[in-house]
Amino acid sequence: MEQDIEIFMEDCVVMGSKIYFFAKDWNALYVADFVTKETKLVSTMPEEKIYARRLCAGIVYYNKKLILLPMTAEKIWVFDLESNQWKGIERRNLGCGDDSQKEIFRAIIYRKNLFLIGSNYPAIIRMDMLTYELEYLTEPYTFLSSLKTADQCYFRSDFCINENYLLMASCLNNYVLQVDLNSFSYKWHEVGEKGFCYSGIAWDGEYYWLSPRRGTPIVRWKMNGETKYIPLPNEFKNKIYNFLGVQYNNGNLVFPGMQQNKTIIIKTHGHQEINVREGQYLFYRCFEKNNVVLQQTNGLVCLQYTTQDKRYDMYCKIRRQELNEYLKNNLENNESIIDIVRSENMTVSLTLFLSFEIKQRKYESKKYDVGVKIWKDIRN
């Protein structure tokens, strides 16, 4: 029986009962239909290798276009859903020496501008969606740069909007960045104690809630300085876990599990209740009136319309033969399928691996057997 390959993602755009998303492990844009349970290839990002991993982290919809936020990709890419055409927008390098320093996790549309929030990339970019002109806000990252190490980011995915203000919680210290989306100016707020740092921030209409890192308490905060600490439940006492961030959803605050199969739910209405449930996610996001879209670490994608009391579940899969044909037809002469095999994600058949590598290498060396060269490269 032919094996199906599950597709993992970093984010998606919801359109009714369908989602558009970019594959995490190779270069492909897909659409999945929760009614028919079908996942179909839409297109491939230009100028990037076909086997490239984590090309983009976030995806945003605007005016019949998809904007793909670069993670390891060189450019910001815009895909027109009507013409099926790509447009690449160059961005400043800003001293990014490797792929990890290019990362932009999330963005927000405000009026006619897209604000792209650098995670490891040291800037917030304001992009005019009519002209694609770019402006950069770099000073907040300069403030944080002395605290940053290679394995840490400036900000994670979860931010909040209150009127014309964007608020983001620092992963490196106990500060919250407030950006005026009209003037593109900013100010810092010190929140919580020294040594605190955060995975995200949410707003429930009255309070801001900050998701902890390093095992510190959850923080409830108002801009007038009113602050309350909520200790983590006993399940989190023996080991420090990081959450994906925090999302506000219909009276509940959700702190989605990332490194652990434990998610915290806080009810904000009436008596404040704190519950722990099973849940470990690749991403968890609320959209449009408290609706939720998420992907669990086992690959299950859930789309829940809270207001309509509807829930869709599916695994986004394609046939292994379909993926192998796609890779075979799109691999370029300067690419090696060995890079896919090393990741051990079971996406490549042995037949495709051998046929491609032998074809590619048979002219490379006359000194020794091609098979010896292939296995030598794998070991290295």
Side-chain angles (χ1 to χ4, degrees), residues 166-202:
L166 165 69
L167 286 98
M168 306 182 300
S170 168
C171 293
L172 303 173
N173 60 12
N174 63 324
Y175 278 78
V176 171
L177 179 64
Q178 178 183 330
V179 179
D180 187 323
L181 299 177
N182 290 326
S183 65
F184 211 25
S185 58
Y186 73 95
K187 66 182 294 185
W188 286 103
H189 301 272
E190 187 172 9
V191 180
E193 299 179 5
K194 298 288 186 183
F196 283 20
C197 52
Y198 306 108
S199 294
I201 184 171

Side-chain angles (χ1 to χ4, degrees), residues 217-233:
I218 294 167
V219 178
R220 192 187 75 180
W221 169 67
K222 274 188 174 183
M223 283 195 183
N224 63 9
E226 179 185 333
T227 306
K228 180 181 179 181
Y229 301 144
I230 296 97
L232 294 177

Side-chain angles (χ1 to χ4, degrees), residues 8-14 19-21 57 59 106 156-158 244 247 256-258 280-286 292-297 300-302:
F8 294 93
M9 62 193 78
E10 309 269 358
D11 191 17
C12 69
V13 163
V14 180
I19 60 170
Y20 283 86
F21 66 93
I59 182 170
R106 289 291 181 267
R156 284 194 54 79
S157 303
D158 290 354
L244 283 177
Q247 294 275 307
M258 179 176 66
Q280 189 173 8
Y281 307 97
L282 296 174
F283 74 93
Y284 187 112
R285 189 161 58 80
C286 299
V292 178
V293 62
L294 60 90
Q295 186 175 38
Q296 298 176 4
T297 52
L300 181 67
V301 183
C302 303

